Amino acid sequence: METLVSTWSRTSQILPEKYVFPIGERPGPDEVPLCQNIPLIDLSADKSQSQTIEKILAACEEFGFFQVINHGVSEDLIDAAMKVVNDFYNMPDEDKAKVYSTDPSKDCRLFTSSYSYAKEELHFWRDNLRHPCHPLDECIHLWPEKPTNYRNVVGKYSLEVRKLSLRILELIREGLGLESGYFGEELTGSQLMSINHYPPCPDPSLSLGLPKHADPNVITLLLQGTVSGLQVFKNGQWLSVEPLPHAFVVNIGHQLQIISNGKLRSAEHRAVTNSKESRTSIVSFINPCPETIVEPAKSMINDCVPLYRPFMFKDFLKFYEEKKGDTKALMNVYKIKT
């Protein structure tokens, strides 16, 4: 528990050396410009589905991410979820200690920085609560018992966010021309909830909440809250993603890039900190089942060669952790050499 940033940083006014990143990796003092043309997609039922699909595919090809509004997840539930996760991080240390663990194999755990704090040369300025969500009735008993309404609220939230994720995947499926039912349980059978907490940082220009990376999964839905901190890397430049009330940021993961045979792209992004406010985000990852074989969809290689070789998802995750966010090095492992 003593390693949690939210525990020891309350009385610290100096950034420890282990949190200072090299010049080429740190955010620096310059303000990152706001991305003015991030695709904002309205999922209202009265919108033309064909036009919605067209906008989603265009966003996935150019940006690898977009934001959705009028998505069907109630604002009250979104507010309740954000409140209960903040209540979790505001609990006394003795209550959080019941969930804290340094064991990466533990299904539900609170930890700091990355997967293995003890093995890191540098640490990230974040604490993380992580647990599985699907099937809900098989994993909800693993979740924190406090706050007392955590399981009820986050359980309802995880179901709604999963439903929205599958809805977006179905629109992508149709747009790509994949067969009906393509994104079935094998490719979407795992859902992971990751709740990030970034306390105020003494020097945000030197530290990182999360480094440059792209997500290893199929699709990610991120609830930002009200405090800015998400940045996306596009055309060699970092751009800030403005938090929109009750909107979800949708990230395309590596698996969807591979399934589409490179037509869609996974988005590189990072999390930065600030010196005045804490920031909490709720992230839902939709993953394939560990034993699933992932490869380019056959309908995506009818008129061209496959760009990626088949692999088992659990093996991909192992390489992903080894490469520590180096997207080029990771994807080169799975690219077919021509």
Side-chain angles (χ1 to χ4, degrees), residues 1-4 88 93 95-118 127-130 142:
M1 277 291 293
E2 67 277 359
T3 61
L4 286 178
F88 171 85
D93 287 347
D95 289 328
K96 288 186 286 188
K98 296 174 182 177
V99 192
Y100 176 80
S101 175
T102 58
D103 181 2
S105 67
K106 190 173 181 181
D107 287 329
C108 176
R109 71 177 183 123
L110 171 65
F111 60 98
T112 195
S113 189
S114 187
Y115 298 105
S116 182
Y117 179 91
D127 295 333
N128 182 255
L129 173 64
R130 184 170 295 214
L142 301 169

Side-chain angles (χ1 to χ4, degrees), residues 82-182:
M82 186 57 75
K83 180 181 185 304
V84 79
V85 298
N86 276 308
D87 288 346
F88 171 85
Y89 279 108
N90 289 328
M91 289 194 306
D93 287 347
E94 55 266 28
D95 289 328
K96 288 186 286 188
K98 296 174 182 177
V99 192
Y100 176 80
S101 175
T102 58
D103 181 2
S105 67
K106 190 173 181 181
D107 287 329
C108 176
R109 71 177 183 123
L110 171 65
F111 60 98
T112 195
S113 189
S114 187
Y115 298 105
S116 182
Y117 179 91
K119 297 179 181 179
E120 296 171 352
E121 292 183 15
L122 295 172
H123 304 313
F124 308 120
W125 193 268
R126 73 135 188 188
D127 295 333
N128 182 255
L129 173 64
R130 184 170 295 214
H131 55 68
C133 296
H134 180 77
L136 183 61
D137 57 354
E138 294 181 13
C139 53
I140 196 169
H141 68 281
L142 301 169
W143 298 3
E145 295 181 359
K146 290 184 178 180
T148 55
N149 61 336
Y150 182 92
R151 293 181 178 181
N152 179 49
V153 172
V154 177
K156 291 177 180 177
Y157 176 83
S158 69
L159 289 173
E160 290 301 307
V161 173
R162 178 175 177 81
K163 188 189 304 181
L164 175 58
S165 300
L166 297 183
R167 178 185 170 197
I168 294 171
L169 281 175
E170 179 61 16
L171 294 172
I172 292 173
R173 179 204 67 76
E174 188 173 337
L176 291 176
L178 305 180
E179 64 266 27
S180 179
Y182 187 89

Side-chain angles (χ1 to χ4, degrees), residues 46-328:
D46 60 351
K47 299 294 181 181
S48 164
Q49 179 158 305
S50 60
Q51 290 182 359
T52 300
I53 290 172
E54 186 177 329
K55 290 178 181 178
I56 288 176
L57 282 191
C60 293
E61 291 177 29
E62 181 181 357
F63 288 87
F65 71 98
F66 52 94
Q67 297 204 65
V68 292
I69 56 173
N70 297 321
H71 40 61
V73 183
S74 81
E75 294 184 2
D76 288 345
L77 180 57
I78 288 173
D79 292 340
M82 186 57 75
K83 180 181 185 304
V84 79
V85 298
N86 276 308
D87 288 346
F88 171 85
Y89 279 108
N90 289 328
M91 289 194 306
D93 287 347
E94 55 266 28
D95 289 328
K96 288 186 286 188
K98 296 174 182 177
V99 192
Y100 176 80
S101 175
T102 58
D103 181 2
S105 67
K106 190 173 181 181
D107 287 329
C108 176
R109 71 177 183 123
L110 171 65
F111 60 98
T112 195
S113 189
S114 187
Y115 298 105
S116 182
Y117 179 91
K119 297 179 181 179
E120 296 171 352
E121 292 183 15
L122 295 172
H123 304 313
F124 308 120
W125 193 268
R126 73 135 188 188
D127 295 333
N128 182 255
L129 173 64
R130 184 170 295 214
H131 55 68
C133 296
H134 180 77
L136 183 61
D137 57 354
E138 294 181 13
C139 53
I140 196 169
H141 68 281
L142 301 169
W143 298 3
E145 295 181 359
K146 290 184 178 180
T148 55
N149 61 336
Y150 182 92
R151 293 181 178 181
N152 179 49
V153 172
V154 177
K156 291 177 180 177
Y157 176 83
S158 69
L159 289 173
E160 290 301 307
V161 173
R162 178 175 177 81
K163 188 189 304 181
L164 175 58
S165 300
L166 297 183
R167 178 185 170 197
I168 294 171
L169 281 175
E170 179 61 16
L171 294 172
I172 292 173
R173 179 204 67 76
E174 188 173 337
L176 291 176
L178 305 180
E179 64 266 27
S180 179
Y182 187 89
F183 290 107
E185 192 72 7
E186 281 197 342
L187 285 172
T188 63
S190 173
Q191 181 184 6
L192 186 69
M193 196 67 72
S194 178
I195 299 155
N196 299 305
H197 183 70
Y198 309 95
C201 178
D203 193 340
S205 69
L206 303 178
S207 68
L208 282 169
L210 280 174
K212 180 182 177 183
H213 69 286
D215 293 341
N217 55 315
V218 178
I219 194 169
T220 303
L221 261 63
L222 165 69
L223 182 64
Q224 283 212 75
T226 58
V227 180
S228 179
L230 173 64
Q231 296 179 352
V232 175
F233 196 66
K234 187 175 188 296
N235 297 331
Q237 181 183 21
W238 285 107
L239 299 169
S240 181
V241 181
E242 181 182 9
L244 300 178
H246 304 113
F248 287 101
V249 177
V250 181
N251 282 353
I252 299 306
H254 286 315
Q255 306 311 303
L256 199 47
Q257 176 173 323
I258 290 165
I259 288 166
S260 71
N261 203 36
K263 182 177 177 63
L264 311 184
R265 60 184 293 263
S266 53
E268 291 187 309
H269 54 285
R270 70 182 182 184
V272 298
T273 63
N274 71 82
S275 60
K276 298 178 181 178
E277 299 178 275
S278 64
R279 174 176 177 260
T280 304
S281 64
I282 308 177
V283 189
S284 170
F285 298 108
I286 299 295
N287 297 302
C289 296
E291 306 288 330
T292 297
I293 301 296
V294 181
E295 60 185 326
K298 290 181 174 57
S299 59
M300 300 301 300
I301 55 176
N302 285 340
D303 300 320
C304 58
V305 297
L307 300 181
Y308 305 96
R309 63 177 176 84
F311 56 85
M312 194 174 291
F313 179 63
K314 67 178 183 180
D315 295 332
F316 184 95
L317 276 184
K318 181 181 177 182
F319 275 113
Y320 180 84
E321 293 173 14
E322 288 178 3
K323 298 303 179 185
K324 300 184 186 302
D326 187 337
T327 297
K328 184 176 181 180

